[in-house]
């Protein structure tokens, strides 16, 4: 029995699924698609790593990956969650960062090298405006429209924007 999908084709299908909360990003852009394997019987195993709580919705993504692979012809799909190594916003690809920027969402800054990330009560002030590029912007709220974004405002162009919180 030859598999309907090769591992490379399955990875492409799974990686093209978009994030439910940041729909300009695919799972490949987010860097959360860890492994895609196809066994000799054609069963596909996908490993995803969760981002922080609620961003993006892991269950919704698992269902979307399953549905996309079945739509591409796979009959047996299992999507599992791997916790290590933990995902950080540094795993967002350069292409993903460019897409965020193009959508008016500030990409996250560096997540900090190694070790647990301290809880920040105020976001760093050096988040540049994704619309006009002004270096100094102010945080309006730690809580943006999604769990993973904060709401900021640019004094230069007056525009509010979302910024992905570094983690
Ligand atoms: Zn601006």
């Amino acid at each position: 029995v030859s598999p309907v999908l090769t591992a490379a084709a399955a990875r492409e299908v799974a990686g093209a699924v978009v994030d439910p909360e940041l729909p300009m990003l695919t799972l490949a852009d987010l860097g959360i698609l860890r492994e895609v394997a196809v066994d000799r019987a054609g069963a596909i195993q996908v490993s995803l790593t969760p981002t922080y709580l609620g961003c993006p919705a892991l269950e919704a993504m698992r269902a979307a990956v399953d549905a996309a692979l079945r739509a591409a012809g796979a009959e047996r799909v299992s999507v599992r969650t791997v916790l290590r190594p933990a995902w950080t916003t540094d795993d967002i690809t350069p292409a993903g960062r460019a897409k965020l920027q193009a959508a008016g969402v500030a990409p996250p800054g560096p997540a900090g090298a190694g070790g647990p990330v301290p809880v920040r009560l105020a976001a760093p002030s050096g988040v540049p405006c994704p619309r006009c590029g002004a270096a100094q912007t102010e945080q309006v709220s730690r809580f943006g429209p999604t769990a993973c974004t904060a709401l900021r405002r640019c004094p230069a162009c007056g525009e509010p924007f979302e910024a992905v919180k570094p983690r």
Side-chain angles (χ1 to χ4, degrees):
V1 180
S2 62
V4 177
L5 290 173
T6 62
R11 172 170 276 276
E12 203 160 300
V13 169
V17 169
V18 297
D19 175 69
E21 297 201 19
L22 295 169
M24 72 292 279
L25 295 185
T26 65
L27 304 195
D29 291 331
L30 275 168
I32 67 167
L33 189 62
R34 284 280 161 83
E35 263 188 79
V36 179
V38 182
D39 72 15
R40 293 194 347 195
I44 298 176
Q45 273 208 349
V46 178
S47 306
L48 298 178
T49 188
T51 60
Y52 35 84
L53 188 65
C55 174
L58 187 63
E59 281 312 309
M61 287 190 317
R62 289 170 61 134
V65 165
D66 186 85
L69 287 167
R70 286 178 198 280
E75 286 179 357
R76 277 185 294 155
V77 179
S78 64
V79 182
R80 67 188 190 102
T81 303
V82 291
L83 299 178
R84 305 209 184 282
W87 180 88
T88 76
T89 43
D90 287 348
D91 292 331
I92 299 176
T93 64
R97 288 166 191 276
K99 287 182 193 177
L100 283 171
Q101 185 87 20
V105 178
V117 179
V119 174
R120 288 193 182 91
L121 294 180
S125 59
V127 179
C129 173
R131 299 182 199 277
C132 74
Q136 292 299 318
T137 58
E138 57 201 26
Q139 181 163 285
V140 177
S141 169
R142 287 174 60 203
F143 304 102
T146 71
C148 56
T149 55
L151 197 59
R152 301 183 70 89
R153 188 183 156 277
C154 172
C157 69
E159 291 292 326
F161 64 92
E162 283 178 69
V164 176
K165 299 174 196 168
R167 151 102 185 213

